[in-house]
Amino acid sequence: MTDRLAELEARLARIEDERAIERMIASYGPLADAGEAEATAQLWAVDGTYEVEGWSMNSRADVAAMVRSDAHQGLIAGGSAHFLGPAVVTVDADDAVAVCESLMVVRHDKKYLVARAGVHHFQLCRLDGRWQIIRRISRTLDGDAEARRLLAAGVAGLNGSGR
Amino acid sequence: MTDRLAELEARLARIEDERAIERMIASYGPLADAGEAEATAQLWAVDGTYEVEGWSMNSRADVAAMVRSDAHQGLIAGGSAHFLGPAVVTVDADDAVAVCESLMVVRHDKKYLVARAGVHHFQLCRLDGRWQIIRRISRTLDGDAEARRLLAAGVAGLNGSGR
Amino acid sequence: MTDRLAELEARLARIEDERAIERMIASYGPLADAGEAEATAQLWAVDGTYEVEGWSMNSRADVAAMVRSDAHQGLIAGGSAHFLGPAVVTVDADDAVAVCESLMVVRHDKKYLVARAGVHHFQLCRLDGRWQIIRRISRTLDGDAEARRLLAAGVAGLNGSGR
């Protein structure tokens, strides 16, 4: 009976891990669109990175600065939705990979436009008892081979370098 | 061993609660776009409310009436998707808060347009053994400070009044 | 205590089943947009079907051929997002039904357009120890009564024929 208990605990812990990461990713859009710089940045590890085309952030502080930037604040003041879809999460002990697609929707001239469709590949680690993003790579879905590679790697549970 | 069992039961019950609410929110769009007035309304408590800009519903019956309204029926007859993203759910015993973003997509002149991007903040209670919406507030993401406040409150698990 | 353990195991197994199916559906868009013909096709049973308006696939091999087709490859080379929302999944032993809405977003003239909003109704079976799609029906949300029927049937856990 102890074996059955231990097995249940392990299966439940896996689901809790996956769900914690799903929740983080589902929180990103709402926090970014709210302009919550600190709460958004807390999703990242202190030295976590975020590569998005033409912009490279190398720390939690860099992510907070991005949310506070005039560019981002202008975006949300006009009306924006960083709309991320359901994530596919793969956990391996204290490491994890997740991937999802997104639509970046912005308000312009009283209309909403899809400014961009993208892929988001996340690597996470369990640090200090909670999951933290150590690397996020975002690419526009414009036919780019690297974007397509990140989609496939993410579903397969491989990291952003394909390992 | 009884302690371990009790702890497992509590952790599992929390996940079941969160998932039941996620399922309700994931069902809203399909039910609303199907025009299923009764099934949509059953997501709400008998005296649950739904505030959406320019429209205030104060009961389950009001929600059913909204789905049956000419405005809503016209929308779905032309083609619409009340497309809600993954919800962030926070359960505290028999109370819960959830938040998600949405895209309201409508067909017009054989094209699809994003008519609106929004935030949806839900307060739920466990009543008669199942989760029911007691208050839903929807706001357009057009730079409105209230919309941004609802996003942040929802992720933090605070109710629509920020408590 | 054995009863409590058995009940926990059954509740956990249900969640694992539902989550496995949610993961498959969340993987579809990323795999299709990556052009991963084999991995996409593996979501289907060997003789699984996929009906999408004007196109009828009757096997796993047909699905792979669709992903490899010039039409699909042209779509993803230009930039596309098969953006599926959170699925509502109902499991009954070794059978399951799932439903979600989607936005098909394509890049055209350096802009992104919502080419289509749709409903996707899935029937799945547990075969060889894993869930496999035995029937998927996709319909455009353009006011079509069949599309609306599939939405309602999917949330109610009924199969594509409404049973």
Side-chain angles (χ1 to χ4, degrees):
Chain A
M1 200 174 305
T2 311
D3 281 358
R4 283 172 73 185
L5 259 181
E7 195 209 316
L8 276 175
E9 286 167 341
R11 287 162 60 189
L12 191 59
R14 166 172 291 269
I15 292 174
E16 288 173 335
D17 282 339
E18 292 172 355
R19 286 182 55 81
I21 293 167
E22 289 165 8
R23 182 191 176 97
M24 289 171 66
I25 295 175
S27 299
Y28 176 78
L31 291 173
D33 292 320
E36 293 282 303
E38 281 312 313
T40 305
Q42 288 292 326
L43 301 174
W44 269 259
V46 170
D47 57 355
T49 64
Y50 182 9
E51 301 167 39
V52 53
E53 275 157 304
W55 202 337
S56 190
M57 291 160 262
N58 293 298
S59 66
R60 187 186 286 167
D62 280 359
V63 174
M66 177 272 288
V67 177
R68 288 199 193 93
S69 70
D70 289 348
H72 187 83
Q73 291 293 321
L75 199 62
I76 63 181
S80 69
H82 291 73
F83 198 88
L84 276 64
V88 177
V89 179
T90 305
V91 170
D92 179 13
D94 292 327
D95 294 296
V97 164
V99 71
C100 70
E101 298 190 330
S102 74
L103 302 178
M104 169 67 179
V105 175
V106 295
R107 193 161 176 269
H108 186 70
D109 280 348
K110 299 188 179 173
K111 290 181 184 171
Y112 286 91
L113 303 174
V114 179
R116 197 162 61 239
V119 49
H120 307 273
H121 184 289
F122 300 84
Q123 284 172 245
L124 304 102
C125 277
R126 192 195 318 266
L127 298 167
D128 303 324
R130 69 172 180 94
W131 290 98
Q132 302 186 30
I133 300 168
I134 55 166
R135 187 180 185 194
R136 173 178 173 178
I137 310 173
S138 297
R139 285 283 179 281
T140 301
L141 287 165
D142 58 2
D144 175 41
E146 175 67 0
R148 292 166 57 181
R149 192 187 64 75
L150 288 170
L151 285 169
V155 173
L158 302 175
N159 71 25
S161 309
R163 286 188 295 265
Chain B
M1 200 174 304
T2 311
D3 281 358
R4 283 172 74 184
L5 259 180
E7 195 209 315
L8 275 176
E9 286 166 341
R11 286 162 61 189
L12 191 60
R14 167 173 291 268
I15 293 174
E16 288 172 336
D17 282 339
E18 292 172 355
R19 287 182 54 81
I21 293 168
E22 290 164 8
R23 182 192 176 95
M24 288 171 66
I25 295 176
S27 298
Y28 176 79
L31 291 174
D33 292 319
E36 293 282 304
E38 281 312 313
T40 306
Q42 288 291 326
L43 300 174
W44 269 259
V46 170
D47 57 355
T49 64
Y50 182 10
E51 301 168 39
V52 53
E53 275 157 304
W55 202 336
S56 190
M57 291 161 262
N58 293 298
S59 65
R60 185 185 287 165
D62 281 0
V63 173
M66 177 272 288
V67 177
R68 288 200 193 92
S69 70
D70 288 348
H72 188 83
Q73 291 294 320
L75 199 61
I76 63 181
S80 70
H82 291 74
F83 197 89
L84 276 66
V88 177
V89 179
T90 306
V91 170
D92 179 12
D94 292 328
D95 294 297
V97 165
V99 71
C100 69
E101 298 190 330
S102 74
L103 302 179
M104 170 66 180
V105 174
V106 294
R107 192 162 176 268
H108 186 71
D109 281 349
K110 299 187 180 174
K111 291 180 184 173
Y112 286 91
L113 302 174
V114 179
R116 197 163 60 239
V119 49
H120 307 273
H121 183 290
F122 300 83
Q123 283 173 247
L124 304 102
C125 276
R126 192 195 317 265
L127 297 167
D128 303 325
R130 69 173 179 95
W131 291 98
Q132 302 187 28
I133 300 168
I134 56 166
R135 188 179 184 195
R136 174 178 173 178
I137 309 173
S138 296
R139 286 284 180 280
T140 301
L141 287 166
D142 57 3
D144 175 40
E146 174 68 359
R148 292 166 57 181
R149 192 188 64 73
L150 288 169
L151 285 169
V155 174
L158 301 175
N159 72 25
S161 308
R163 285 187 297 265
Chain C
M1 200 173 305
T2 311
D3 282 358
R4 283 172 73 185
L5 259 181
E7 196 210 315
L8 275 176
E9 286 167 340
R11 286 162 61 190
L12 191 60
R14 166 173 291 269
I15 293 174
E16 288 173 334
D17 282 340
E18 292 172 355
R19 286 182 55 80
I21 293 167
E22 289 165 8
R23 182 192 177 97
M24 288 171 66
I25 295 176
S27 299
Y28 176 79
L31 291 174
D33 292 319
E36 293 282 304
E38 281 312 313
T40 305
Q42 288 292 326
L43 300 174
W44 269 259
V46 170
D47 57 354
T49 65
Y50 182 9
E51 301 168 40
V52 53
E53 276 156 304
W55 202 337
S56 190
M57 292 161 261
N58 293 299
S59 66
R60 185 185 287 165
D62 281 359
V63 173
M66 177 273 288
V67 177
R68 289 199 192 93
S69 69
D70 288 348
H72 188 83
Q73 291 294 321
L75 200 61
I76 62 182
S80 70
H82 290 75
F83 197 89
L84 276 66
V88 177
V89 179
T90 305
V91 170
D92 179 13
D94 293 328
D95 294 295
V97 165
V99 71
C100 69
E101 297 189 332
S102 74
L103 302 178
M104 169 67 180
V105 174
V106 295
R107 192 162 176 269
H108 186 70
D109 280 350
K110 299 187 179 174
K111 291 181 184 172
Y112 286 91
L113 303 174
V114 179
R116 196 163 62 239
V119 49
H120 306 274
H121 183 290
F122 300 83
Q123 284 173 247
L124 304 101
C125 276
R126 192 195 318 265
L127 297 168
D128 303 324
R130 69 172 181 97
W131 290 98
Q132 302 186 29
I133 300 168
I134 55 167
R135 188 180 184 194
R136 173 178 174 179
I137 310 174
S138 298
R139 285 284 179 280
T140 301
L141 287 165
D142 58 2
D144 174 41
E146 175 68 0
R148 292 166 56 180
R149 192 187 65 74
L150 288 170
L151 285 169
V155 174
L158 302 175
N159 71 25
S161 309
R163 285 188 296 265

